[in-house]
Amino acid sequence: MTPTLPTLLVLDADPPPRLGRLTGRARIEHTDAAGLAGRLPTADVLLVWDFASHAVRDAWPGPGPRPRWVHAASAGVDHLMCPELAVSDTVVTNARGVFDQPIAEYVAALVLAVAKDLPRTLELQRERTWRHRETRRVAGTRACVIGSGPIGRAIARTLKALDVTTALVGRVPRTGVHGPGDLDRLISRADWVVSAAPLTEQTHGMFDTRRFGVMQPSAVFVNVGRGGLVDEDALAEALRRRWIAGAALDVFASEPLGGESPLWGLPGLIVSPHMSGDTVGWRDELGSQFVELYERWAAGRPLRNVVDKKRGYVPGH
């Protein structure tokens, strides 16, 4: 008798993942957000390819069996976690490792762009205006990176290569990593405050009016973590009152950022559309990572990148 193939359900986004290597090894089915709830009971594995969708969080509490394994094609899993999934026996994995260095490079590019006043240079070029200015030296400045996972560590390494003195802050203090109790002291001395933390109950809204008030007037705030880490109204006030020198946001509380949002016109703010980790070929890399994980799962071997569902991230860093 031919063995029954596991059913792999893909919550799609355009373009869909390339899963040709799984032909004959899985029954691959596709769904959109509207059809997810009805398809979950028949799936053994769920691939959340649409990293921006909240459909899993909405559909998971329904009746019937649930997949034994859920993989998020993203570093964060806050968009899919719900209490019912958190307490279930379902294993959740993420795309840890794919975005680390690309995001680190993006942060370094933002630091250099702000220090060297590149946005104003491009504006003056469009205006055909020759205006000599002085810019900031990056070497010898201080950075505080919040989030000690692979992305945060890659950011710290890259900034150190620019001769930036860098402090790393994590959930638990350990060798080379400061704890939350040191955060205010470190950001009060930092020229660059970089947010790369996961979004959890403890980190939601951590960058608020008080935290922006702690930063020095020459500081620049960069968020490549999650939009929910930042009180955007508080950031807007800090920029308007010049409590800080500038900011760069790649993630937002609501995405895509609407054209009516006041964030677009804030002085000293660089807006980018959640693209810091998306380099040429990133989707293929995500697909290959999932196929390798599927091969481990099908062979009964331990999965990598297993998320602690209560903490909301992969532990061990």
Side-chain angles (χ1 to χ4, degrees):
M1 179 180 294
T2 303
T4 302
L5 295 176
T7 298
L8 166 59
L9 182 63
V10 182
L11 178 60
D12 269 334
D14 189 34
R18 296 182 181 182
L19 301 174
R21 283 167 52 190
L22 298 183
T23 301
R25 303 161 70 183
R27 181 187 297 108
I28 302 175
E29 300 179 355
H30 298 263
T31 186
D32 58 12
L36 179 62
R39 307 288 289 277
L40 278 178
T42 63
D44 297 294
V45 179
L46 174 63
L47 168 57
V48 185
W49 189 248
D50 186 351
F51 68 86
S53 174
H54 292 81
V56 176
R57 182 190 298 170
D58 297 332
W60 195 269
R66 288 295 180 259
R68 291 174 281 162
W69 168 34
V70 173
H71 178 73
S74 57
V77 297
D78 52 278
H79 61 294
L80 58 86
M81 292 303 298
C82 62
E84 293 81 2
L85 175 54
V87 300
S88 72
D89 294 331
T90 297
V91 176
V92 176
T93 57
N94 72 354
R96 179 187 184 192
V98 172
F99 301 107
D100 307 353
Q101 192 56 37
I103 292 178
E105 293 172 2
Y106 198 87
V107 169
L110 288 171
V111 167
L112 289 168
V114 171
K116 302 308 176 185
D117 200 22
L118 294 185
R120 184 59 178 149
T121 295
L122 296 174
E123 289 177 6
L124 292 170
Q125 180 179 348
R126 284 190 292 269
E127 297 169 4
R128 298 177 179 247
T129 300
W130 181 280
R131 183 173 301 159
H132 182 270
R133 288 112 58 221
E134 296 178 348
T135 62
R136 297 174 64 181
R137 185 191 293 266
V138 172
T141 59
R142 295 176 179 268
C144 178
V145 179
I146 299 89
S148 60
I151 292 174
R153 294 199 302 270
I155 292 170
R157 287 194 304 271
T158 304
L159 292 180
K160 287 178 182 177
L162 296 174
D163 201 18
V164 177
T165 301
T166 305
L168 196 58
V169 178
R171 187 181 66 89
V172 178
R174 54 197 183 279
T175 303
V177 178
H178 296 268
D182 291 331
L183 179 58
D184 286 353
R185 175 178 62 82
L186 292 170
I187 65 175
S188 71
R189 303 167 58 194
D191 300 287
W192 318 100
V193 178
V194 183
S195 166
L199 181 60
T200 66
E201 291 183 2
Q202 292 71 35
T203 62
H204 188 277
M206 66 183 297
F207 293 101
D208 54 13
T209 297
R210 189 188 68 79
R211 283 263 158 75
F212 290 120
V214 168
M215 297 178 196
Q216 56 185 350
S218 60
V220 174
F221 175 74
V222 178
N223 188 20
V224 290
R226 281 290 183 266
L229 298 169
V230 179
D231 180 334
E232 292 176 348
D233 290 337
L235 174 61
E237 181 181 24
L239 289 170
R240 291 192 187 103
R241 296 193 177 194
R242 302 190 183 280
W243 292 349
I244 60 175
L249 302 180
D250 186 55
V251 287
F252 300 86
S254 179
E255 297 180 5
L257 188 65
E260 74 288 348
S261 172
L263 293 175
W264 291 105
L266 284 176
L269 177 62
I270 296 175
V271 171
S272 58
H274 204 146
M275 58 179 281
S276 61
D278 302 347
T279 52
V280 175
W282 67 283
R283 290 185 178 87
D284 289 340
E285 192 171 352
L286 285 174
S288 295
Q289 182 190 57
F290 173 75
V291 169
E292 291 172 4
L293 286 172
Y294 184 91
E295 290 170 344
R296 295 180 67 91
W297 178 82
R301 299 165 60 197
L303 287 169
R304 299 190 180 100
N305 293 6
V306 175
V307 173
D308 182 321
K309 293 184 290 183
K310 293 183 179 180
R311 295 182 184 179
Y313 55 88
V314 178
H317 54 259

